[in-house]
Amino acid sequence: MDFNQFGNNLEDSTNFLIEKLSELHPWDEEWKYNIAVKLVPIYVEEISKFREYLESVGLDFTEENFDNILKFSSILTKDQVKLLFMGDLADIPLIYDGKYLSDDERIDLLVEYKTRLRKVEPNLYLFFNHVENYLD
């Protein structure tokens, strides 16, 4: 599959993503299909935003751009999110609208305003480490 076709077919894109992530994240465990299939739409959205930005400034979206989006992303557990975003979570009140917020609810609020952090499933998050200056 060519990187420009990523997102056109979910099954092909999932298999392509597993191959690419194995190549670009060799230190990670082998990617499971049931997780990778949930990552495809998230990556498609991120790639689309970056592609639009590049086109708006007269540049082409290249395979290097594609690889960098994958390379500079991380799968995080809930505990890793809590450690990485400790300061941000501390800014979210424990009590909101008269109700005590659980860790999950506070993390959900964090995901709402941190566009580089996406929830994949209850204990799994995708974080894009690259700078989003193209969205400013």
Side-chain angles (χ1 to χ4, degrees):
M1 167 184 263
D2 179 75
F3 74 96
N4 284 310
Q5 296 170 329
F6 184 75
N8 293 344
N9 176 290
L10 185 58
E11 185 176 342
D12 291 344
S13 296
T14 301
N15 291 323
F16 183 72
L17 180 61
I18 290 169
E19 289 175 29
K20 277 292 200 178
L21 288 173
S22 295
E23 172 190 325
L24 298 170
H25 291 245
W27 51 87
D28 287 342
E29 292 180 27
E30 186 174 323
W31 293 86
K32 292 182 172 56
Y33 185 90
N34 64 330
I35 299 296
V37 74
K38 294 175 183 179
L39 297 175
V40 169
I42 299 170
Y43 278 114
V44 166
E45 183 181 334
E46 192 69 17
I47 288 165
S48 294
K49 287 191 286 187
F50 193 58
R51 185 184 301 263
E52 285 176 26
Y53 164 74
L54 289 176
E55 289 172 357
S56 75
V57 296
L59 298 172
D60 292 327
F61 184 77
T62 64
E63 187 168 11
E64 182 180 2
N65 300 131
F66 180 89
D67 287 353
N68 283 341
I69 288 174
L70 297 175
K71 188 185 316 180
F72 298 113
S73 63
S74 303
I75 288 285
L76 304 173
T77 64
K78 182 173 31 172
D79 289 339
Q80 290 170 321
V81 168
K82 287 164 58 175
L83 286 172
L84 187 63
F85 295 102
M86 190 181 306
D88 295 309
L89 286 169
D91 292 338
I92 297 174
L94 291 174
I95 299 173
Y96 178 75
D97 201 21
K99 178 186 173 222
Y100 178 78
L101 297 177
S102 68
D103 282 350
D104 290 340
E105 291 169 322
R106 293 173 69 227
I107 290 172
D108 286 344
L109 287 173
L110 179 69
V111 168
E112 280 183 34
Y113 80 87
K114 286 275 185 208
T115 59
R116 296 185 312 153
L117 182 64
R118 308 285 180 75
K119 188 173 190 172
V120 178
E121 51 183 44
N123 190 39
L124 223 51
Y125 298 84
L126 181 60
F127 177 60
F128 293 100
N129 299 319
H130 61 280
V131 176
E132 289 190 326
N133 60 356
Y134 59 90
L135 296 177
D136 294 339

